[in-house]
């Protein structure tokens, strides 16, 4: 077990989307056995910790973010004993483990929800969720929309067979929202936190951390569909980022501090501005929160500089570290985003409607973006497969799509499956080592990924994988990198970013069209493309010793 040093202030954390990491039991779906078989890979990559997406029993209406039992493991992924062994093995390798907590909603198969369906309106069972009568017999209680499309309310059939109350689901109908005004819900989640802390996990990623508390009157929004990945443009929203969520996090912080070993939280909170995000990481609340403004930012120097400045400024006010992230399982992979002239975070409109990305440009920028991200003060997340330079798979056949967005949008938005395609590990044909016995993976892999397998990149010192390994090693070893402060070097062209980390390191990122002569320096510690005649080519970043 590594030493306790406020590790989360500058850790690099690898996100495992468990269904797609590695399949140890040969059913075509990733699992705990698969992860255990890849721990040496993670250690060699050089990450400090892993975050595993939900592994609990689930009917998988939303890839496991529909939890039926918070204290067990889905049989597709393994057993609780396997999970305990994994926690131990991760610690033995000097890494840490963060699990995913999904407190906004349960699965409709959770025993609480099944109990609520069987119980009467107004019962204790219904008060664990958000049940209401409709505005009229066939009209939902308000106009809120589901993030995945369609209304956020579903009408139930009462036990006596009559059409009855409606329940709230900000996501899929299979994900009923819990009622966080109910002390029983709060007590239950404190118990769930203890369950996993007692098993030695080092932290929790909190799903939809900005959504738990709703306006008590559930007023109409007046806007219809809500996109969780686009932050609300108003601060007083009836269900996002309400002040009431902070009481919950203050109590969770106290709870974590009862445990030895520097346990931590990271919030998934899509909010309007950096100052709102900083509220989640005030003293006595959560430790960290993903910086989605950075992820959403296009490849543009002024925009990037502004996001970096406003984020650091807001966080400095509360003493929390920044938490940088370029990709995750909800957004288009950044090789693809950066390969489009106007990169957006996108979760994939229909294929015919989007311009094809230039993956060569996207890959080049992704390499530079890595050096930018890892040179910034704070901690960083790496989404599985980005170290292999994987792109978004935008041409998955329609019949394999599983993201609820696809059906809920009336098959107009493909959703997030394209960033969840199982990893290519080795070999020249599908499943590229993903399934140990050669079974076909749950989503098909592009055939050209044979050039992107971990095995193929291993020995190539110019590969994306080698860049990630080199950068993570240099970041660990160099005293200037990680937590701390940075200062911009001014007097450089507008399309070039240069900043200093002390002691003795300059990060230079050339976002312009032409090569940029490097400023005075000692050794080039690392560059995302070769430096040519003292010049940094376009879409390239370098770390320079000074
Ligand atoms: C955010 C998760 O990252 C996403 O995958 C999920 O669909 C929603 N929360 C709902 O739990």
């Amino acid at each position: 077990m590594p030493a306790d040093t406020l590790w989360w202030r500058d850790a690099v954390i690898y996100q495992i989307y468990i269904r797609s990491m590695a399949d140890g039991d040969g059913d075509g779906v990733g699992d705990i056995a698969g992860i255990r078989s890849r721990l040496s890979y993670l250690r060699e990559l050089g990450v400090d910790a892993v975050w595993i997406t939900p592994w609990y029993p689930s009917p998988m209406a939303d890839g496991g973010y529909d939890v039926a039992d918070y204290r067990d493991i889905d049989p597709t992924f393994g057993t609780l004993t396997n999970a305990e062994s994994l926690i131990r093995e991760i610690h033995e390798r000097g890494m840490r483990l963060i699990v995913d907590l999904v407190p906004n909603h349960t699965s409709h198969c959770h025993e609480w929800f099944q109990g609520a369906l069987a119980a009467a309106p107004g019962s204790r069972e219904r008060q664990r969720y958000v049940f209401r009568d409709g505005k009229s017999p066939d009209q939902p209680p308000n106009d809120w929309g589901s993030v995945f499309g369609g209304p956020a309310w579903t009408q139930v059939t009462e036990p006596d067979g009559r059409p009855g109350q409606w329940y709230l689901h900000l996501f899929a109908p299979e994900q009923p929202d819990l009622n966080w005004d109910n002390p029983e819900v709060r007590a239950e989640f404190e118990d769930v936190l203890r369950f996993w802390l007692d098993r030695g996990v080092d932290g929790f990623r909190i799903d939809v951390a900005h959504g738990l508390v709703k306006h008590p009157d559930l007023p109409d929004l007046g806007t219809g569909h809500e996109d969780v990945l686009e932050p609300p443009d108003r601060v007083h929203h009836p269900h996002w980022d309400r002040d009431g969520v902070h009481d919950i996090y203050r109590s969770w912080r106290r709870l974590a501090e009862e445990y030895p070993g520097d346990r931590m939280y990271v919030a998934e909170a899509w909010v309007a501005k950096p100052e709102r995000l900083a509220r989640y990481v005030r003293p006595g609340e959560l430790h960290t929160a993903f910086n989605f403004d950075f992820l959403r930012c296009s490849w543009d120097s002024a925009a990037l500089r502004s996001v970096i400045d406003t984020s650091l400024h807001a966080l400095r006010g509360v003493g929390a570290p920044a938490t940088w992230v370029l990709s995750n399982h909800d957004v288009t992979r950044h090789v693809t985003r950066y390969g489009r002239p106007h990169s957006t975070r996108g979760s994939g409109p229909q294929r015919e409607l989007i311009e094809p990305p230039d993956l060569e440009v996207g890959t080049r920028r992704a390499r530079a973006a890595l050096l930018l991200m890892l040179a910034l003060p704070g901690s960083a997340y790496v989404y599985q497969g980005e170290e292999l330079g994987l792109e978004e798979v935008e041409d998955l056949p329609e019949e394999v799509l599983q993201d609820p967005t696809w059906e809920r949008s009336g098959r107009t938005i493909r959703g997030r499956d394209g960033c969840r395609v199982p990893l290519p590990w080795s070999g020249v044909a599908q499943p590229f080592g993903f399934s140990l016995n050669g079974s076909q993976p749950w989503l098909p892999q592009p055939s050209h990924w044979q050039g992107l397998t971990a095995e193929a990149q291993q020995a190539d010192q110019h590969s994306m994988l080698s860049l990630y390994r080199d950068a993570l090693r240099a970041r660990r070893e160099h005293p200037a990198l990680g937590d701390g402060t940075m200062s911009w070097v001014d007097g450089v062209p507008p399309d070039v970013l240069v900043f200093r980390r002390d002691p003795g390191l300059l990060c230079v990122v050339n976002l312009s069209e032409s090569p940029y002569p490097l400023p005075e320096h000692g050794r080039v510690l690392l560059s995302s493309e070769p430096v040519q005649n003292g010049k940094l080519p376009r879409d390239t970043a370098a770390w320079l010793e000074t």
Side-chain angles (χ1 to χ4, degrees):
M1 180 68 181
D4 307 336
T5 53
L6 300 185
W7 61 277
W8 43 270
R9 291 194 66 93
D10 62 4
V12 176
I13 300 170
Y14 186 89
Q15 180 191 350
I16 293 180
Y17 188 74
I18 185 166
R19 298 198 294 165
S20 304
M21 173 82 176
D23 168 24
D25 66 3
D27 62 358
V29 181
D31 48 33
I32 294 177
I35 298 173
R36 289 171 76 183
S37 73
R38 300 295 175 185
L39 289 182
S40 304
Y41 169 86
L42 294 174
R43 189 67 212 133
E44 279 159 32
L45 182 60
V47 295
D48 304 296
V50 299
W51 146 37
I52 301 186
T53 55
W55 52 4
Y56 316 104
S58 164
M60 303 286 160
D62 182 21
Y65 283 94
D66 46 324
V67 179
D69 178 355
Y70 292 84
R71 297 179 185 79
D72 205 350
I73 298 291
D74 194 279
T76 315
F77 301 140
T79 63
L80 195 52
T81 310
N82 297 153
E84 287 166 346
S85 304
L86 176 67
I87 296 170
R88 199 180 51 250
E89 288 166 12
I90 286 178
H91 287 162
E92 280 165 7
R93 284 174 167 78
M95 298 185 289
R96 308 194 190 238
L97 173 67
I98 295 172
V99 292
D100 215 314
L101 187 74
V102 188
N104 181 66
H105 43 264
T106 69
S107 159
H108 66 134
C109 294
H110 191 285
E111 63 172 15
W112 271 11
F113 192 70
Q114 289 302 310
L117 289 180
S123 58
R124 174 181 170 192
E125 287 83 353
R126 289 231 170 151
Q127 279 166 21
R128 293 168 175 151
Y129 293 90
V130 186
F131 277 87
R132 291 289 186 282
D133 294 333
K135 275 186 184 163
S136 68
D138 53 6
Q139 233 197 334
N142 69 23
D143 67 353
W144 296 0
S146 149
V147 168
F148 296 143
W153 295 92
T154 291
Q155 190 170 26
V156 302
T157 304
E158 298 297 352
D160 64 8
R162 280 183 302 181
Q165 285 197 299
W166 301 69
Y167 68 88
L168 177 68
H169 51 87
L170 291 179
F171 295 87
E174 296 86 354
Q175 294 167 295
D177 278 52
L178 285 161
N179 170 17
W180 276 87
D181 292 331
N182 182 343
E184 198 187 349
V185 170
R186 296 191 182 218
E188 169 69 1
F189 273 86
E190 296 205 352
D191 196 66
V192 169
L193 288 172
R194 289 186 192 284
F195 180 89
W196 290 103
L197 288 168
D198 288 340
R199 276 163 185 74
V201 304
D202 300 285
F204 298 90
R205 178 258 187 195
I206 302 168
D207 189 60
V208 201
H210 58 310
L212 275 48
V213 173
K214 279 81 181 176
H215 190 296
D217 303 335
L218 307 179
D220 277 339
L221 258 169
T223 54
H225 175 75
E226 284 291 293
D227 182 345
V228 74
L229 306 188
E230 288 307 324
D233 56 4
R234 54 175 154 155
V235 163
H236 299 292
H237 190 282
H239 61 71
W240 295 140
D241 193 25
R242 294 188 61 77
D243 288 348
V245 296
H246 297 284
D247 285 342
I248 301 169
Y249 301 137
R250 278 188 282 271
S251 75
W252 288 9
R253 178 68 179 248
R254 285 194 295 274
L255 189 154
E257 285 178 357
E258 290 172 27
Y259 284 79
D262 216 4
R263 320 287 176 107
M264 58 77 86
Y265 298 104
V266 56
E268 185 222 20
W270 299 85
V271 297
K273 31 184 173 188
E275 295 74 38
R276 296 297 296 183
L277 193 64
R279 291 161 59 90
Y280 288 75
V281 290
R282 288 178 288 196
E285 295 200 29
L286 304 175
H287 304 75
T288 55
F290 294 118
N291 185 332
F292 292 131
D293 288 342
F294 184 66
L295 175 152
R296 263 194 301 257
C297 192
S298 47
W299 189 244
D300 174 275
S301 56
L304 283 165
R305 181 168 170 158
S306 152
V307 162
I308 293 166
D309 280 344
T310 51
S311 304
L312 291 177
H313 177 75
L315 291 166
R316 202 172 308 126
V318 294
T323 302
W324 309 103
V325 51
L326 288 167
S327 276
N328 64 32
H329 65 292
D330 290 330
V331 300
T332 301
R333 281 188 178 276
H334 61 274
V335 160
T336 300
R337 291 199 323 262
Y338 290 151
R340 294 208 161 94
H342 304 289
S343 93
T344 59
R345 57 93 192 153
S347 63
Q350 253 183 339
R351 185 171 173 234
E352 354 6 309
L353 303 181
I354 46 179
E355 41 191 334
D358 182 332
L359 293 181
E360 213 179 296
V361 169
T363 301
R364 197 180 167 90
R365 291 178 175 172
R367 293 172 65 92
L370 175 72
L371 295 197
L372 167 63
M373 175 172 84
L374 293 183
L376 293 172
S379 85
Y381 280 76
V382 170
Y383 175 48
Q384 68 180 34
E386 72 174 68
E387 80 280 16
L388 301 176
L390 301 186
E391 81 280 18
E392 184 82 2
V393 183
E394 297 189 305
D395 58 355
L396 286 169
E398 291 181 356
E399 61 278 10
V400 304
L401 296 180
Q402 292 200 8
D403 186 340
T405 305
W406 174 238
E407 291 298 339
R408 299 271 306 164
S409 68
R411 303 191 165 195
T412 57
I413 303 175
R414 294 175 69 92
R416 302 159 294 174
D417 292 308
C419 63
R420 300 173 175 182
V421 173
L423 294 192
W425 290 98
S426 56
V428 294
Q430 180 163 276
F432 297 117
F434 170 73
S435 284
L436 296 180
N437 68 353
S439 301
Q440 293 310 296
W442 67 279
L443 287 175
Q445 300 153 307
S447 54
H448 71 262
W449 279 10
Q450 76 167 278
L452 294 179
T453 64
E455 181 184 57
Q457 298 196 38
Q458 191 90 15
D460 173 3
Q461 58 176 8
H462 301 297
S463 67
M464 188 69 97
L465 181 58
S466 295
L467 180 70
Y468 269 72
R469 286 187 178 158
D470 293 347
L472 290 172
R473 189 179 322 107
R475 186 180 187 274
R476 223 178 17 254
E477 287 169 1
H478 201 290
L481 294 173
D483 200 14
T485 56
M486 61 173 276
S487 50
W488 294 107
V489 173
D490 288 321
V492 299
D495 283 345
V496 177
L497 297 174
V498 184
F499 60 93
R500 169 177 295 283
R501 300 290 318 265
D502 285 326
L505 191 116
L506 275 183
C507 177
V508 186
V509 191
N510 181 8
L511 296 97
S512 74
E513 291 295 316
S514 36
Y516 175 68
L518 287 177
E520 204 184 311
H521 62 277
R523 195 163 65 99
V524 177
L525 194 61
L526 197 58
S527 62
S528 61
E529 307 290 341
V531 171
Q532 289 161 356
N533 304 324
K535 291 185 178 162
L536 197 63
R538 68 180 171 83
D539 292 334
T540 301
W543 293 350
L544 311 177
E545 285 181 341
T546 59

